[in-house]
Amino acid sequence: MSLRARLILYFGLGGTLFLFAITYVVFARMEAEMTSQLKHNFEDNFRNRIVAFERGINEHSYDFRALAKLPMFSSMRYHQLTLNKAATKNDIRHLELSFLETIQNRSEIKKIQFINSKGHEVLRVEKSGIKKSLSDYSVDENVMAALRYDKGQFQIKQAKLGSKIHTLSWVVPVYVSTGQAFGVLIFDVDFNSVNSEISRLLSTEGESVCLVDQDDNVIVAIGQRGACEKDHRANEIHGYDWHVDEKLSIEGLDWAIHFSVDPAPFLTGVESLKLKVFGFIFPVMSLILLLMAMVVSNRIVKAITLLLHTAKAMGRGEYTAPISLERTDELGELAYEVNRSASLIMENREKLENDLTRLVEASHTVIIGVDLEGRVNDWNHGAEKISYINKEDVVGKPLVEILRGIERADLHDIIASCLKNKVIENFEVTLIDKFDELKVILFNWSPVFNAEGEISGVAGVGQNITELALKDEQLSMALDQMPGALVLTDKNFKIVMRSQQFAELYNVPSELLEPGNDYREFIRYLARNGYYGAGDPERLANERIVSISKPSPVRFEDRRKDGMTFSVNRSYLEDGRTVTIVTNITDLKEAEEAALNSSKVKSEFLASMSHEIRTPITGIIGFADMLIQDDIAEESREKAVRIKKSTEGLLRILNDILDISKLEAGKVEIENIDFQLVELVSETLSLFEKSRATDNKVAIEFTYTDEFSQEIQSDPTRIRQILVNLVGNAYKFTHEGKIIVHCEKITNANDEPYFKFSVSDTGIGISEKVLNTLFTDFAQADASISRKYEGTGLGLSISKRLTELLGCNIGVSSVEGEGSTFWFTFPYHKADREVLIKEKEFAASKYKALHPLKILVAEDNRVNQIIILKFLEEYGHEMTIVDDGAKAVEEHKSGDYDIILMDVRMPGMDGPEATRVIRSLEEPKKSIPIIAITADAVKENIDKYIEDGMNSYVSKPFNWTKLILAINEVMEKEVHVLKE
């Protein structure tokens, strides 16, 4: 299709369509407005007619109520009360004559009756005259009910013959005083008069009217056939006709009226206007638009055709006479600019050609021209300089004989691509110069066009990258010597470079990782060969691809199918490239696993030894407590106390050994708990004051500065442990004088708040030569210290490691013979919430049992059985003891117990296994509270017991107070309370 035809089509047809759309939208809006206004006028007109109809019916009611107020009724009432029968008959006669006149003047009234308060008909007047045969209505419920109407109230009855109403009766009570109704007037109106009134509502043949009662039954139907049927009226509601539905405001009648009309006659003017607009005005305007489009397109096409011929000539390098286009619009300006540009181009063409020739010849860039047969037709100065071969020695020769790195097939592909107007980038070839030296050149190949615009050959523009290629080779050699493997990918996942070991480590074909390949294909290869485990290979590969797409450093481990393990470190460079370094860590993982196994064996040994040592210690301390509580001689009680203290000293040594082992294994974790620091220090020092109550030569003081914060967040257990070690040492080496524990808040060089505790004594002091060894394991000032003052030498070592875990330091200053000051620091962190002061802990003997329990005890050690039995029976608890886990399970199944005390290590089924079996039972057996009683004080083991289903634990040797409070906690009630 020609440009002229397209312009006519676009402007003419487009304009016509636009005009039609505008006309259609405007007329549709106007038609809707006109229709809406006509419908509104129709509805208002009919509602006015309805009001007139309502007024006519209501006027009947008004007139009939007025007749009920005639003075003759009052006269009749008076004469009846005075027993003047003659006067009463005269009143009735006057009423009959009055009502007869009313009937004769109003054709719609058929009959008037008056019924007295006793239900007797007093008078009846009909169209035919006054009736003397009167009836008794005393048994007529409707009449007698009307006598009870309120003053001013009335009722309209509808008399039907079959389904048709023939009479409307107004029942109006007559009141002549404020008391009971004197009687009832009944006015019968011919329903045909109502039909006539409804008929007058219609003004055209297309209108229909329906009168319906409260039950939606049609009373009157006038107009179009079927218009008053229910289905038809329902359809009208959906818009088939114009309609009005109104509930009539007629007192005494619950009627509604439905009016409908065919809107077509009302809309004849709208349809006539539509025919004029779309039948005459629109076609004329469309024809005008089409003619205008033809005139405009002719002018535009003429100018564009002239410009096109000139442009084609300029494309062929020809210059014609200036374009003669006498126009002042944009096309005229374009023609002027084309003329000016053509003049400038022709003026500078020869100069540009000469400059370009000199530039190409002088350039160090290699530029080679090849015809479509693959023979050299251009060889610039840059090519001569790099090859030491003159242009005249290569022109006309096949390129493949000169460049060693390009094969005939490669050259054929380059020419074929350029014939499709494509550019070949980064094509690397090698060249042997005149002196047999190897040169590496990176070419970009593009098509060359002749004067007719046809492709006549290809041109290669190359850059000498010999030095870069040499460095790249050296880098590859260096990468191959790395202990690990490396791959570098660009932002599009293309491999830029990689070391040879990368393919060897993953045991994949090396061509999969050649530079230029897609790194994602390598990942898919690994997924297909099971490197990422079982599952859909595509899904597994996509998960890895998504992870390497996220620009953040990652480190993870990969495992080859034969078990070899790699550490993979991936980093992202600023230019979007990714460096992935893979290291074989198989030997390291095996060594790590061996170390973990060794640590686990050591931990199990320590747990076992802790249990084996704590079990007899529990017995010794338990029986010592029993002896102390017995009524024995004071000398014997003193011996029992010494036995208990000696055993507790042995227990402290055991705890030190366990602590140092856990610290060495890195299994001690620091907690962050809100607590009262002053309360913690005071409780700790009170332990020493009680144990040293008989030693009056050494006093202890606790001081702290004003800015000291009492509520803090740290690890109270570890702080207490450090204080116990330092204060214990001070007591141990101080025979007289005092010990001062001082705390202050300080800041470090970074202005961060810290606490500093110092414990100063007036003891024997420490020589300067041994100060540096105090905080090493098992270290004491000299060997005699251990013999004279006891101890393992682990306390200070443990304290040093704990302060390091807290993130701070510990130190000492001392003068031999004068005393020592040990100090330690830890960070200050404000408590998150208010800390309540803990209630004082009382001895177990201060408690009593409110609720005796049935307790099942699983304990294999006979000595511990006796101790537990004797202690808990003192509270009135009923005890049952078994010696292994299996018996505990069976006893629990058959018995009815409140709680189980479960030893952890027992022959056969141990405590944790028995607990797991109990927790697998049905309710309520599975929910019984279980407390672990264990000599295994290793925290991770205790956590495991809780995971197995035990509710709490109490360690051996027993702290009896903690045991009864633990029973309270798991029973969730106050089983044991303080004695009054």
Side-chain angles (χ1 to χ4, degrees):
M1 186 182 294
S2 66
L3 178 61
R4 179 179 289 103
R6 286 200 300 272
L7 287 173
I8 293 172
L9 179 65
Y10 295 156
F11 289 114
L13 183 58
T16 302
L17 291 175
F18 178 75
L19 177 63
F20 176 79
I22 293 296
T23 305
Y24 180 82
V25 170
V26 172
F27 187 82
R29 181 68 179 271
M30 184 173 65
E31 181 183 23
E33 291 290 337
M34 293 173 64
T35 303
S36 176
Q37 185 61 43
L38 289 170
K39 185 177 180 182
H40 182 71
N41 292 341
F42 151 73
E43 291 173 348
D44 286 347
N45 177 268
F46 184 70
R47 286 193 176 95
N48 291 333
R49 289 185 250 170
I50 291 174
V51 170
F53 173 72
E54 293 171 338
R55 187 183 304 114
I57 301 296
N58 286 326
E59 283 178 357
H60 286 316
S61 300
Y62 177 79
D63 293 343
F64 295 155
R65 282 186 288 181
L67 291 172
K69 297 177 182 179
L70 289 173
M72 285 175 285
F73 287 112
S74 297
S75 176
M76 185 189 301
R77 172 67 172 166
Y78 173 76
H79 291 141
Q80 284 180 348
L81 292 174
T82 58
L83 303 178
N84 190 341
K85 295 183 178 179
T88 302
K89 288 182 178 181
N90 188 47
D91 291 335
I92 293 172
R93 182 61 181 169
H94 278 89
L95 283 171
E96 288 174 339
L97 294 172
S98 176
F99 288 155
L100 181 60
E101 183 182 358
T102 299
I103 289 178
Q104 290 173 349
N105 292 333
R106 298 181 65 169
S107 60
E108 75 273 13
I109 301 176
K110 296 165 58 178
K111 180 175 62 175
I112 300 175
Q113 295 171 272
F114 176 65
I115 301 167
N116 66 17
S117 60
K118 294 181 180 180
H120 299 148
E121 187 177 24
V122 176
L123 64 87
R124 183 195 315 152
V125 181
E126 297 180 359
K127 286 283 186 184
S128 58
I130 298 170
K131 302 299 179 181
K132 297 301 180 180
S133 176
L134 303 176
S135 302
D136 184 1
Y137 288 91
S138 59
V139 295
D140 190 324
E141 293 181 358
N142 291 328
V143 172
M144 300 309 292
L147 290 169
R148 295 189 292 273
Y149 289 169
D150 293 335
K151 193 172 183 179
Q153 189 176 5
F154 70 95
Q155 187 177 17
I156 301 176
K157 300 290 186 180
Q158 303 176 30
K160 293 184 178 181
L161 182 62
S163 60
K164 299 292 185 179
I165 298 174
H166 61 83
T167 302
L168 292 179
S169 299
W170 270 257
V171 182
V172 183
V174 178
Y175 282 86
V176 296
S177 65
T178 57
Q180 185 178 1
F182 177 58
V184 176
L185 275 175
I186 301 176
F187 301 89
D188 289 350
V189 176
D190 189 352
F191 192 73
N192 288 328
S193 65
V194 176
N195 277 336
S196 298
E197 291 291 332
I198 293 175
S199 297
R200 282 195 288 272
L201 295 177
L202 304 180
S203 61
T204 64
E205 292 183 359
E207 296 177 343
S208 300
V209 64
C210 313
L211 188 66
V212 296
D213 62 14
Q214 65 272 17
D215 298 322
D216 203 30
N217 296 317
V218 177
I219 301 171
V220 177
I222 303 174
Q224 299 296 319
R225 184 177 181 181
C228 291
E229 294 179 1
K230 288 185 179 181
D231 291 342
H232 185 78
R233 282 185 280 138
N235 288 334
E236 287 176 349
I237 293 173
H238 289 86
Y240 295 140
D241 292 326
W242 287 354
H243 64 92
V244 176
D245 291 286
E246 291 285 341
K247 185 172 179 62
L248 296 177
S249 298
I250 300 176
E251 189 175 2
L253 291 173
D254 187 11
W255 285 353
I257 195 164
H258 173 82
F259 183 80
S260 62
V261 65
D262 182 2
F266 296 91
L267 301 178
T268 54
V270 177
E271 293 298 323
S272 175
L273 179 61
K274 183 189 293 186
L275 183 61
K276 290 178 181 178
V277 170
F278 289 99
F280 176 71
I281 297 175
F282 176 72
V284 170
M285 294 182 67
S286 299
L287 183 59
I288 293 172
L289 276 174
L290 187 62
L291 292 173
M292 291 174 63
M294 293 175 65
V295 172
V296 172
S297 63
N298 283 335
R299 295 197 65 194
I300 293 175
V301 169
K302 180 179 178 182
I304 291 176
T305 303
L306 187 57
L307 288 169
L308 178 62
H309 289 318
T310 303
K312 286 182 177 180
M314 291 175 63
R316 294 192 298 270
E318 301 173 358
Y319 177 66
T320 60
I323 302 172
S324 177
L325 193 62
E326 297 179 357
R327 298 176 66 106
T328 58
D329 58 6
E330 287 80 358
L331 287 173
E333 292 181 9
L334 178 60
Y336 171 77
E337 292 298 329
V338 170
N339 288 334
R340 191 169 66 88
S341 299
S343 299
L344 290 173
I345 291 171
M346 296 307 296
E347 289 175 4
N348 293 293
R349 178 177 178 180
E350 184 175 354
K351 180 177 181 300
L352 287 172
E353 288 178 350
N354 294 333
D355 291 345
L356 180 60
T357 301
R358 288 195 300 271
L359 179 63
V360 169
E361 293 301 325
S363 174
H364 295 290
T365 301
V366 177
I367 301 176
I368 299 174
V370 181
D371 61 20
L372 297 180
E373 300 298 326
R375 293 185 294 271
V376 177
N377 57 21
D378 195 6
W379 188 269
N380 80 328
H381 179 70
E384 290 181 341
K385 187 174 181 180
I386 195 173
S387 64
Y388 302 106
I389 302 174
N390 295 327
K391 180 178 181 178
E392 55 270 17
D393 295 332
V394 296
V395 170
K397 294 183 179 179
L399 181 64
V400 295
E401 295 181 4
I402 303 168
L403 300 182
R404 191 181 70 176
I406 185 168
E407 302 291 337
R408 292 186 185 277
D410 294 333
L411 183 58
H412 179 270
D413 291 341
I414 291 172
I415 295 173
S417 296
C418 289
L419 284 172
K420 297 177 182 178
N421 206 15
K422 293 182 179 180
V423 175
I424 309 298
E425 296 181 343
N426 299 328
F427 191 94
E428 187 177 305
V429 299
T430 55
L431 178 147
I432 300 177
D433 65 14
K434 189 174 182 179
F435 303 103
D436 293 332
E437 289 187 7
L438 188 68
K439 303 291 176 64
V440 181
I441 307 171
L442 190 65
F443 276 103
N444 289 337
W445 297 94
S446 57
V448 174
F449 298 89
N450 58 20
E452 287 74 28
E454 300 173 345
I455 297 175
S456 60
V458 298
V461 179
Q463 188 71 32
N464 184 2
I465 61 167
T466 304
E467 293 185 5
L468 184 61
L470 180 60
K471 291 179 180 179
D472 189 29
E473 184 179 358
Q474 293 171 346
L475 178 59
S476 298
M477 294 174 62
L479 289 176
D480 290 339
Q481 300 303 315
M482 285 177 57
L486 176 143
V487 63
L488 175 66
T489 56
D490 63 16
K491 60 184 179 181
N492 297 317
F493 303 104
K494 298 296 184 182
I495 298 173
V496 178
M497 63 186 313
R498 53 87 177 176
S499 60
Q500 184 62 36
Q501 293 95 319
F502 203 89
E504 295 173 357
L505 276 178
Y506 279 97
N507 195 24
V508 299
S510 59
E511 56 269 17
L512 199 64
L513 293 166
E514 287 296 326
N517 288 353
D518 194 327
Y519 187 71
R520 291 170 293 191
E521 292 303 318
F522 163 70
I523 293 175
R524 293 187 179 99
Y525 178 89
L526 295 181
R528 289 193 298 270
N529 286 273
Y531 275 80
Y532 303 140
D536 178 28
E538 191 64 26
R539 179 182 61 80
L540 295 172
N542 288 336
E543 288 176 356
R544 286 296 182 104
I545 291 170
V546 169
S547 70
I548 67 173
S549 303
K550 298 176 181 177
S552 57
V554 292
R555 180 177 181 178
F556 58 93
E557 291 183 2
D558 260 350
R559 185 181 294 272
R560 215 165 69 177
K561 288 191 293 185
D562 60 4
M564 183 180 290
T565 305
F566 315 130
S567 172
V568 182
N569 290 273
R570 182 171 290 122
S571 301
Y572 295 84
L573 306 180
E574 292 182 358
D575 60 1
R577 292 184 297 173
T578 304
V579 179
T580 303
I581 299 176
V582 180
T583 307
N584 185 353
I585 58 169
T586 305
D587 294 340
L588 181 62
K589 294 295 289 185
E590 291 175 353
E592 180 183 347
E593 187 174 348
L596 288 174
N597 290 334
S598 175
S599 177
K600 183 178 179 181
V601 170
K602 182 178 180 180
S603 297
E604 291 176 353
F605 171 76
L606 288 172
S608 177
M609 290 305 299
S610 171
H611 179 272
E612 295 302 323
I613 296 174
R614 283 175 180 269
T615 298
I617 288 177
T618 301
I620 297 170
I621 293 178
F623 277 112
D625 284 335
M626 292 167 60
L627 285 172
I628 292 170
Q629 293 176 12
D630 286 346
D631 186 14
I632 60 176
E634 187 62 32
E635 182 179 354
S636 298
R637 178 176 282 103
E638 180 65 25
K639 292 176 180 178
V641 170
R642 291 185 179 275
I643 290 172
K644 181 178 179 181
K645 288 187 176 181
S646 298
T647 308
E648 288 174 345
L650 178 61
L651 186 61
R652 283 193 296 273
I653 294 173
L654 175 63
N655 289 338
D656 284 347
I657 294 173
L658 288 175
D659 283 342
I660 200 69
S661 299
K662 287 189 286 185
L663 286 165
E664 287 179 347
K667 293 186 176 181
V668 175
E669 296 180 358
I670 295 299
E671 297 179 301
N672 287 307
I673 302 173
D674 295 339
F675 66 96
Q676 285 269 1
L677 183 56
V678 172
E679 180 187 6
L680 173 75
V681 178
S682 300
E683 285 180 357
T684 305
L685 298 184
S686 67
L687 298 175
F688 290 96
E689 290 174 346
K690 290 177 182 179
S691 64
R692 301 275 180 162
T694 58
D695 189 354
N696 297 324
K697 294 183 179 180
V698 179
I700 187 166
E701 297 178 7
F702 173 40
T703 62
Y704 50 87
T705 55
D706 293 337
E707 72 276 9
F708 184 75
S709 301
Q710 298 197 24
E711 295 182 349
I712 69 167
Q713 185 181 89
S714 189
D715 191 330
T717 302
R718 302 308 171 190
I719 294 173
R720 181 188 291 109
Q721 190 173 358
I722 297 170
L723 274 175
V724 167
N725 285 334
L726 298 186
V727 177
N729 272 353
Y731 261 122
K732 187 187 299 183
F733 297 111
T734 303
H735 305 300
E736 58 182 355
K738 63 182 179 180
I739 299 170
I740 300 175
V741 178
H742 179 71
C743 184
E744 59 183 329
K745 198 160 114 180
I746 61 173
T747 55
N748 62 7
N750 296 325
D751 204 28
E752 297 170 333
Y754 280 78
F755 282 118
K756 181 177 182 181
F757 272 92
S758 58
V759 180
S760 304
D761 63 57
T762 57
I764 63 175
I766 306 170
S767 64
E768 188 174 347
K769 66 179 182 179
V770 297
L771 281 177
N772 294 331
T773 63
L774 279 181
F775 295 103
T776 57
D777 295 346
F778 306 101
Q780 291 181 326
D782 57 54
S784 63
I785 294 293
S786 179
R787 295 192 298 272
K788 184 175 181 180
Y789 294 99
E790 302 178 344
T792 59
L794 290 174
L796 292 179
S797 174
I798 293 171
S799 298
K800 178 175 174 60
R801 298 192 188 203
L802 290 177
T803 54
E804 290 172 350
L805 285 175
L806 288 169
C808 286
N809 298 310
I810 189 171
V812 61
S813 61
S814 180
V815 177
E816 193 170 6
E818 296 182 9
S820 305
T821 297
F822 285 82
W823 57 266
F824 71 97
T825 60
F826 62 90
Y828 164 66
H829 299 291
K830 187 177 180 180
D832 291 336
R833 60 186 64 86
E834 183 180 357
V835 181
L836 300 177
I837 298 177
K838 293 191 300 182
E839 295 182 0
K840 181 180 178 182
E841 185 177 300
F842 295 91
S845 59
K846 301 293 184 181
Y847 287 84
K848 65 179 180 180
L850 291 181
H851 309 284
L853 305 176
K854 287 189 66 176
I855 302 177
L856 175 61
V857 180
E859 169 62 65
D860 65 318
N861 185 276
R862 179 60 182 161
V863 173
N864 288 342
Q865 291 177 358
I866 296 171
I867 294 170
I868 296 170
L869 183 65
K870 186 174 186 311
F871 173 74
L872 292 177
E873 282 182 342
E874 292 289 335
Y875 292 93
H877 299 311
E878 182 181 340
M879 309 294 295
T880 300
I881 296 180
V882 296
D883 58 7
D884 66 40
K887 292 178 181 177
V889 173
E890 293 304 317
E891 185 64 32
H892 172 54
K893 288 180 180 178
S894 59
D896 185 17
Y897 294 97
D898 299 307
I899 189 172
I900 300 176
L901 303 183
M902 184 78 73
D903 187 19
V904 172
R905 293 177 180 263
M906 293 183 289
M909 183 184 290
D910 60 14
E913 184 179 356
T915 300
R916 290 193 294 272
V917 173
I918 290 172
R919 295 304 183 216
S920 67
L921 300 176
E922 298 293 330
E923 293 288 3
K925 290 291 185 180
K926 68 180 295 185
S927 298
I928 187 170
I930 302 175
I931 297 178
I933 51 176
T934 175
D936 182 358
V938 179
K939 183 180 182 304
E940 53 266 31
N941 292 341
I942 292 171
D943 293 340
K944 181 65 169 59
Y945 306 151
I946 300 299
E947 290 176 6
D948 288 331
M950 295 181 176
N951 301 92
S952 186
Y953 83 98
V954 176
S955 62
K956 301 176 185 177
F958 295 114
N959 180 318
W960 299 111
T961 300
K962 289 185 178 179
L963 176 58
I964 61 175
L965 292 180
I967 292 174
N968 285 2
E969 179 185 355
V970 299
M971 292 299 297
E972 296 182 350
K973 63 181 180 180
E974 295 293 322
V975 178
H976 306 93
V977 297
L978 288 169
K979 297 176 181 177
E980 296 179 354

